[in-house]
Amino acid sequence: MNTNTTTAPSPSALKPLLAATACALLGLLLLRPVAPDEQPPATRAAAPARRDPSSTPTSSPADTRRPERVTATPPSTGAEVPVAGDGPAGDHAVQRLMDSSSPADLPRALEKHLVALASRIWKAEFTGAGRQEWPAYFSHRQLRAAYRNVRIQAGIARSAPDHRVAVRLVWAGTDPAGQNEDGRTAQMLFTRHNNAWRPHR
């Protein structure tokens, strides 16, 4: 007959064991790293607010009626360039600003030819005079109200995709309401057909 019997520990012996276990669990809980999401609101660092691209203010339809004016500070010298309200006296400075805006990639003679051609077409666009020289370009485009004293302040020509050339102009003129404006921008595209440059929209 086996006389070995297992005796259950007395309640007094369990108390120290339970206390030690509770202390160990409490220590583990205190030493456990806290995830950022579990931190109380008072200890979380405020995240910088991100700007929603869709919330960026857009220009109203009234803002798009007038083309943007060229900037008044050239990137090379940082000196102030006369643009608006200076009349023909400021045209040379505007031309320097446009020349420095992008590297030239066309022969100088070709660039001058295309700028002169675009200037004539642009004047016909706003004054109505000479439109018969480019009937395909002006077909079905009526002249609403003619500008007066249209002057091309400056212009450059640069290569564009699909074997085209983009001519950028800065121009001035008196609108139908009699207001004098300068520093207005425009762009025209040209392609070459049978040794001749033709404008297209």
Side-chain angles (χ1 to χ4, degrees):
M1 181 176 180
N2 188 4
T3 58
N4 293 332
T5 58
T6 303
T7 59
S10 64
S12 60
L14 287 176
K15 289 181 180 180
L17 181 61
L18 292 175
T21 303
C23 290
L25 291 175
L26 181 60
L28 289 175
L29 290 174
L30 293 176
L31 294 177
R32 182 177 67 90
V34 180
D37 294 340
E38 297 177 358
Q39 294 180 1
T43 60
R44 294 180 187 174
R50 295 186 178 179
R51 189 184 185 94
D52 186 1
S54 62
S55 65
T56 303
T58 57
S59 58
S60 63
D63 297 333
T64 61
R65 294 175 186 174
R66 302 181 185 275
E68 294 182 357
R69 293 182 181 272
V70 294
T71 54
T73 304
S76 56
T77 63
E80 190 170 306
V81 174
V83 175
D86 291 308
D91 292 352
H92 184 67
V94 179
Q95 183 64 57
R96 291 202 316 268
L97 177 60
M98 293 193 72
D99 288 336
S100 64
S101 64
S102 61
D105 56 4
L106 296 174
R108 181 59 180 163
L110 176 59
E111 181 179 14
K112 291 181 64 176
H113 169 70
L114 290 176
V115 169
L117 178 59
S119 299
R120 290 171 53 203
I121 298 173
W122 194 254
K123 287 182 179 180
E125 174 85 43
F126 280 89
T127 65
R131 285 191 168 198
Q132 67 277 4
E133 295 186 43
W134 303 278
Y137 184 78
F138 289 111
S139 61
H140 308 295
R141 293 185 66 87
Q142 297 180 353
L143 181 65
R144 296 183 179 180
Y147 273 63
R148 295 179 290 107
N149 306 320
V150 173
R151 182 182 85 257
I152 304 301
Q153 297 180 261
I156 58 173
R158 298 291 186 265
S159 298
D162 301 327
H163 307 287
R164 298 179 299 177
V165 173
V167 177
R168 299 178 179 89
L169 303 174
V170 178
W171 63 284
T174 304
D175 66 18
Q179 181 178 356
N180 295 322
E181 299 182 356
D182 58 2
R184 304 187 68 179
T185 59
Q187 177 171 296
M188 297 185 64
L189 294 174
F190 289 84
T191 53
R192 187 161 185 164
H193 298 278
N194 299 327
N195 296 325
W197 290 92
R198 295 181 182 176
H200 62 87
R201 299 187 185 274

